[in-house]
Amino acid sequence: MGNKQSNEKQIQESQISQNQSQLSSRDSQISSSNFTINKIQKQVLLNQELIYPSSDNCPSKINVTLNGITFWSNYDSGNLSQVEQIEATTFNLSISEDCQGRIPPVQCNKGTRQWFNFKVISVTDFQANFVIVNIATRFKKIWTNDSDIYVKINKIWSRYPAVYQGFQVKFSFEFKANQIVQFAYMPPWSYKKNQKFFDFYFSQLHPDIYFRRETIAHSLEGRNIELITITKNGPHEQQEYYCPEFLFPDKQQNESLIKFKKQYILISCRVHAGEVPASFILKGILESLQNYNESAKFLLENYVFLIIPMLNPDGVYRGHYRLDSLGYDQNRVYNRILKFPKFNGPLAVLETCKNYNVAFYIDLHAHSVLSNSFIYTNWHPDPSIHQAILEFPKQMKSKVAHFRIKEAMSTQINYEKNQYEIEGIYTEKEENIQKAPELKIHLTKENLVPQSMNDDCPYSINPYLTGVAKSDVYLTTQVMFSYTLEVNYRFYTKNKQVFKYEIIDFITLGRDVIESLYSAHQNQDFIQIKQHLDSNILN
């Protein structure tokens, strides 16, 4: 036992030694910020959070040639960790868990083997059989015998047949000589693609539309977490703004921010790195604003859209499915921002809600198990306010054929006593409900009872999960209309039939978000409740 521990210690010391030059670079980044910690504390922090010196040195980034066939994933959002030739034409492929091999090890990454993205080229014509041998078992429900993957040939992505069998994904491909073929779980929306999209988007906007693009934060590996501002040109002013030390790194000290005299709609995306459908939903939202139709004009005249298109760019670049570069699920840390200010994406969301007049917050996601598209909302004890909160999901239900949810979950909140009584919760595991000591959560086992919901009900009211964006935005700011929009990666059901999602379905869902927000504002009951809430906030 002692020899084993000694060997492990020697390996860790060796890896730490190899990373010294990269650590010194990160050390200088921390020093250049306003992060006021002494030298000893800084070294402790670096040792505790030792990560790979760059994304390209992750286990998910490889370049391997076996008998004239080259496999590589060392590019933005690539993930393939190992290739083993079993027979002349058969290859076993392994994908990397998020933060695999990190020192110290990550405890929560065992269920993160879902996203794969790699390229293959053969020097001759060749028929190959591939087996991805280590898809995470938690995703059994999303794979069926007639599942498929995506293949890119000559810059065109298309579905390609694959077979799920025993937590393995099997498929064959006939290569032409020197033909580059890319295989992926679904067409990737990489960090680089996101940058290029907004480079092009600005040039296509209507002249009446105001557009601003800036860096609201840097990721731990130095990538930009961007904030996009879109509205109709109108009155705005420079306002003083207390800027936390990790936000707006490119602004001069004490530089004021531009604020419009309107309310804001905040939309965030890709806190979970592999949830690519969320980026296509956002694309649909942005295209609707760009088209400048009646719905878009109304919303742009009355609101400012603030968009954070990629909260977790390091995870996206590394080819992660869910976690960031340190192994954290950033959609479970919103209640710990003050203690762990390194979560720059969630910090940007909360600070934006606190410092701008945000009326709506929508966090975009994709779901691996639950089918169709649906919205998680929060529950309010005042029935009229609660109905107003549900107006946006109801409008989505009326416009989107695949929008529904089967289970209901509810959270009752007593704002005056600052107590949170959780009632009627449906959850697979009781421990999924995490207690926050500072919030005095009252929980009884008698309340852990599943509730059914008919198909006409378009929303799900989620239990209060500590650290989730839509819950903590709702609980810690004055943003009542706080939502999580989800869509399944693969399929939806309708009239007891199963249909496969296409990329255009995600884009169309984004367009329906704009139409539903507009339609909600045509409901006078909703308008009256919202005006009442707005007046209370201003007072």
Side-chain angles (χ1 to χ4, degrees):
M1 185 69 178
N3 291 335
K4 182 179 179 180
Q5 292 177 343
S6 176
N7 291 337
E8 291 177 350
K9 183 177 180 181
Q10 290 177 3
I11 292 173
Q12 290 191 10
E13 289 176 349
S14 174
Q15 290 175 320
I16 291 173
S17 175
Q18 293 174 7
N19 289 336
Q20 287 303 310
S21 60
Q22 283 75 19
L23 288 175
S24 62
S25 173
R26 184 177 173 196
D27 190 295
S28 64
Q29 288 181 352
I30 294 177
S31 298
S32 63
S33 73
N34 295 326
F35 196 23
T36 56
I37 57 177
N38 62 43
K39 186 175 182 180
I40 296 177
Q41 290 174 315
K42 190 182 302 180
Q43 190 59 47
V44 170
L45 177 66
L46 294 175
N47 290 337
Q48 287 176 344
E49 299 179 355
L50 182 61
I51 58 176
Y52 283 90
S54 75
S55 299
D56 292 327
N57 291 332
C58 296
S60 61
K61 309 295 183 185
I62 65 169
N63 190 318
V64 176
T65 300
L66 298 174
N67 296 330
I69 303 178
T70 299
F71 302 78
W72 74 101
S73 60
N74 53 343
Y75 55 86
D76 189 349
S77 82
N79 186 350
L80 182 67
S81 63
Q82 187 175 347
V83 180
E84 182 181 4
Q85 188 168 10
I86 303 301
E87 298 175 353
T89 61
T90 303
F91 299 83
N92 282 356
L93 311 177
S94 298
I95 58 178
S96 174
E97 297 170 341
D98 295 1
C99 289
Q100 182 172 313
R102 175 179 172 259
I103 304 172
V106 179
Q107 300 299 319
C108 58
N109 67 343
K110 298 302 181 183
T112 59
R113 295 189 308 272
Q114 176 181 354
W115 176 259
F116 57 88
N117 177 9
F118 58 92
K119 298 178 182 179
V120 182
I121 186 172
S122 174
V123 295
T124 63
D125 292 354
F126 187 75
Q127 173 75 37
N129 304 309
F130 299 123
V131 183
I132 301 177
V133 299
N134 66 335
I135 292 291
T137 57
R138 65 175 288 199
F139 303 116
K140 182 177 180 179
K141 292 182 179 180
I142 68 171
W143 296 98
T144 61
N145 290 333
D146 62 345
S147 288
D148 45 36
I149 62 174
Y150 280 87
V151 171
K152 181 182 179 183
I153 304 174
N154 297 327
K155 298 183 179 182
I156 298 175
W157 284 100
S158 59
R159 288 183 179 274
Y160 192 79
V163 175
Y164 166 83
Q165 187 176 24
F167 303 114
Q168 296 180 346
V169 179
K170 301 180 180 181
F171 55 97
S172 301
F173 193 85
E174 186 172 347
F175 290 90
K176 303 297 182 182
N178 299 316
Q179 178 187 49
I180 297 176
V181 182
Q182 186 172 354
F183 301 91
Y185 180 67
M186 68 176 304
W189 188 287
S190 65
Y191 174 74
K192 182 178 180 181
K193 179 174 181 175
N194 196 67
Q195 299 290 301
K196 287 185 175 180
F197 175 82
F198 284 102
D199 290 342
F200 178 76
Y201 182 78
F202 172 69
S203 65
Q204 303 297 308
L205 288 176
H206 190 279
D208 287 346
I209 296 179
Y210 173 91
F211 177 90
R212 185 169 75 249
R213 180 183 181 186
E214 56 193 327
T215 300
I216 192 171
H218 287 143
S219 69
L220 288 176
E221 294 182 334
R223 297 182 180 88
N224 292 342
I225 300 174
E226 293 190 317
L227 178 68
I228 308 298
T229 305
I230 305 174
T231 190
K232 184 175 182 181
N233 279 310
H236 57 271
E237 59 187 7
Q238 302 281 344
Q239 291 186 2
E240 292 185 3
Y241 169 59
Y242 166 72
C243 186
E245 55 194 347
F246 293 94
L247 298 188
F248 294 105
D250 299 332
K251 288 192 176 295
Q252 300 296 321
Q253 188 174 9
N254 299 324
E255 182 181 353
S256 59
L257 299 179
I258 295 176
K259 288 189 178 181
F260 283 81
K261 296 178 179 179
K262 316 179 190 180
Q263 289 188 306
Y264 288 74
I265 297 174
L266 174 63
I267 300 175
S268 61
C269 191
R270 299 296 288 281
V271 69
H272 293 148
E275 294 182 358
V276 175
S279 288
F280 288 106
I281 294 172
L282 181 60
K283 182 176 188 288
I285 291 172
L286 291 164
E287 285 180 351
S288 287
L289 297 179
Q290 182 184 50
N291 291 339
Y292 208 49
N293 61 9
E294 180 183 357
S295 303
K297 285 181 180 179
F298 173 86
L299 293 173
L300 290 169
E301 286 173 356
N302 291 278
Y303 293 96
V304 180
F305 281 82
L306 293 176
I307 296 170
I308 307 178
M310 195 165 282
L311 288 168
N312 182 11
D314 293 346
V316 171
Y317 187 90
R318 285 167 166 259
H320 286 183
Y321 161 64
R322 191 172 182 88
L323 309 180
D324 66 6
S325 60
L326 293 180
Y328 288 98
D329 181 342
Q330 290 199 4
N331 201 34
R332 296 296 184 273
V333 303
Y334 279 83
N335 66 319
R336 296 186 283 166
I337 298 300
L338 294 179
K339 186 176 181 182
F340 299 101
K342 58 179 173 282
F343 302 126
N344 288 350
L347 177 65
V349 170
L350 287 180
E351 288 298 320
T352 299
C353 289
K354 292 176 182 178
N355 290 280
Y356 291 86
N357 185 14
V358 174
F360 294 87
Y361 171 55
I362 306 173
D363 194 23
L364 305 179
H365 286 259
H367 210 288
S368 297
V369 179
L370 294 180
S371 68
N372 294 59
S373 56
F374 55 93
I375 284 177
Y376 286 123
T377 74
N378 295 289
W379 190 91
H380 196 281
D382 185 318
S384 60
I385 295 177
H386 185 56
Q387 287 304 311
I389 290 173
L390 298 180
E391 183 61 27
F392 168 58
K394 287 179 179 178
Q395 293 295 337
M396 289 288 289
K397 172 65 175 178
S398 69
K399 300 179 188 304
V400 183
H402 52 84
F403 189 88
R404 70 176 180 85
I405 185 64
K406 293 181 178 179
E407 294 85 18
M409 312 176 200
S410 62
T411 303
Q412 180 173 332
I413 302 174
N414 186 326
Y415 291 90
E416 294 180 358
K417 295 182 180 180
N418 199 31
Q419 293 180 345
Y420 303 84
E421 293 188 359
I422 304 179
E423 296 185 352
I425 296 170
Y426 174 82
T427 179
E428 294 180 2
K429 295 181 180 180
E430 183 175 338
E431 57 265 29
N432 286 346
I433 304 167
Q434 305 170 35
K435 298 183 180 181
E438 68 275 15
L439 294 179
K440 298 180 181 178
I441 293 180
H442 172 66
L443 175 65
T444 60
K445 287 188 176 180
E446 289 78 8
N447 289 330
L448 292 172
V449 180
Q451 294 188 104
S452 62
M453 178 185 290
N454 61 50
D455 288 346
D456 293 331
C457 195
Y459 57 88
S460 174
I461 307 168
N462 205 20
Y464 174 69
L465 286 176
T466 306
V468 175
K470 65 96 183 169
S471 297
D472 278 85
V473 164
Y474 181 67
L475 293 172
T476 61
T477 73
Q478 299 185 76
V479 182
M480 291 288 181
F481 304 102
S482 179
Y483 308 96
T484 300
L485 173 58
E486 299 261 13
V487 65
N488 188 274
Y489 283 91
R490 294 296 195 194
F491 68 95
Y492 64 95
T493 60
K494 185 179 179 182
N495 299 327
K496 298 183 179 180
Q497 290 183 295
V498 178
F499 301 89
K500 293 181 180 180
Y501 275 123
E502 302 293 343
I503 298 300
I504 188 62
D505 294 321
F506 303 136
I507 296 173
T508 302
L509 183 62
R511 295 169 183 163
D512 289 329
V513 168
I514 295 300
E515 295 302 319
S516 297
L517 285 171
Y518 170 73
S519 295
H521 286 79
Q522 310 312 305
N523 183 324
Q524 291 304 311
D525 291 337
F526 170 80
I527 293 298
Q528 289 178 8
I529 295 298
K530 184 178 178 301
Q531 289 175 345
H532 173 70
L533 292 172
D534 293 343
S535 64
N536 288 343
I537 292 174
L538 293 175
N539 294 332

